[in-house]
Amino acid sequence: MSFSGGVEFSETVDMVFHNVEYLLTVAAVKDDTLCVEVEQKSDGSRWRGDFTSRYIEDITAKTGNYKKYGVFVKMLLTAVTEESDSVFVDLLTYNDLELLKNRKLKGQAPAPSRNPPNNKRYLILTYAAEFDRVHYPLPLIFEESPDPESLKATIYRLRAELDARPKTGASHRGANLGADPADLRRLREENMDLKAEIRRLESGALGGGGGGSEQAQMEKKEVERELRLCRKERDLLAQKCEA
């Protein structure tokens, strides 16, 4: 991920909002700008917002509980690292916000919304005071085309997670009969899926014909490479299941 200017600090944490796993990054840069990025781990969807110190102080003033930029940043960092029960964050959609607004009306007829539904996310920083709660919303825009550095970071994370799977399998083999039956069942299902994928690849490679064009040869090499990778992963999974 890339940030303009010199980064004063950057904190990335794993968080779960409404049963969905996310990577949340909070960074402050030297030109008094707060950068917030959220990545949905299941599909790589990303949202981002860049907020100037003036914007932050304006939204806090509107809530009636004004905070200076530096104080707000410290509150947000404390919330994402879960170091205090008095501040915490939530991630909401546009529809979530509309539902909250309607609840606050307490039976009154909701005013017609002037804003159409959107794909934004809203990071809500909540400060729980002794007798009141204050919510500070930060709108995050969906990134249709993430920058190359962000994509590289996502690929690196996914590769790290894949590399960690054989290590988990090794611990299962060492545990012998103490392995979790649910994990073994999941590995067997993955093994069956890989076998099916290998059969599909094999049929594709064999059915590709003997075309001698350069494009056909490139496609054949790619299929053969993917086939070798699938076979390797299948063998690893089979070893875990048999351990």
Side-chain angles (χ1 to χ4, degrees):
M1 56 197 68
S2 59
F3 300 104
S4 59
V7 178
E8 291 184 338
F9 78 83
S10 178
E11 185 76 28
T12 300
V13 296
D14 292 298
M15 303 200 79
V16 178
F17 299 112
H18 309 284
N19 298 319
V20 179
E21 294 183 342
Y22 293 90
L23 279 180
L24 172 61
T25 299
V26 175
V29 296
K30 289 182 179 179
D31 59 355
D32 285 345
T33 298
L34 175 67
C35 304
V36 178
E37 290 186 346
V38 174
E39 178 184 334
Q40 186 170 323
K41 296 182 71 174
S42 62
D43 60 8
S45 298
R46 298 174 61 86
W47 293 263
R48 175 177 174 132
D50 298 317
F51 310 98
T52 64
S53 58
R54 181 174 180 178
Y55 178 92
I56 294 297
E57 292 175 357
D58 283 347
I59 65 167
T60 64
K62 290 178 181 178
T63 66
N65 196 317
Y66 173 79
K67 301 294 180 186
K68 289 186 177 180
Y69 172 76
V71 173
F72 183 89
V73 170
K74 290 180 181 179
M75 289 172 57
L76 181 58
L77 185 60
T78 300
V80 301
T81 54
E82 299 179 335
E83 296 179 0
S84 173
D85 293 333
S86 62
V87 286
F88 52 90
V89 291
D90 196 6
L91 189 67
L92 302 180
T93 65
Y94 173 85
N95 290 334
D96 293 333
L97 281 182
E98 290 298 305
L99 288 174
L100 288 177
K101 291 178 182 178
N102 292 337
R103 288 177 185 173
K104 289 183 178 180
L105 293 175
K106 297 181 179 179
Q108 302 178 28
S113 176
R114 298 179 181 178
N115 299 319
N118 56 62
N119 197 21
K120 288 183 179 179
R121 292 293 184 270
Y122 299 85
L123 187 72
I124 311 297
L125 173 63
T126 298
Y127 171 54
E130 185 175 0
F131 300 107
D132 197 9
R133 285 193 175 191
V134 184
H135 305 290
Y136 303 105
L138 296 175
L140 307 178
I141 298 174
F142 179 70
E143 290 191 326
E144 295 284 352
S145 302
D147 62 85
E149 289 189 22
S150 298
L151 292 176
K152 288 179 182 179
T154 300
I155 292 172
Y156 179 82
R157 174 180 62 80
L158 292 174
R159 285 177 176 171
E161 291 178 0
L162 288 172
D163 290 342
R165 289 175 61 186
K167 297 178 182 179
T168 304
S171 65
H172 279 304
R173 291 194 294 273
N176 202 1
L177 295 178
D180 187 345
D183 286 341
L184 292 177
R185 182 170 59 254
R186 176 180 58 80
L187 290 172
R188 290 191 182 97
E189 291 174 355
E190 291 179 359
N191 190 23
M192 292 176 62
D193 291 340
L194 281 172
K195 286 181 178 179
E197 178 68 8
I198 288 173
R199 285 195 296 269
R200 183 188 68 79
L201 290 171
E202 287 176 334
S203 63
L206 294 174
S213 68
E214 183 177 351
Q215 180 65 25
Q217 291 298 323
M218 291 177 60
E219 291 178 357
K220 181 179 179 182
K221 288 181 179 179
E222 179 63 23
V223 169
E224 290 174 346
R225 185 187 68 82
E226 188 176 354
L227 180 58
R228 287 194 299 271
L229 291 175
C230 287
R231 280 176 173 160
K232 183 177 180 180
E233 189 169 357
R234 181 201 63 181
D235 292 341
L236 288 172
L237 290 172
Q239 291 174 13
K240 298 174 190 176
C241 295
E242 294 169 1

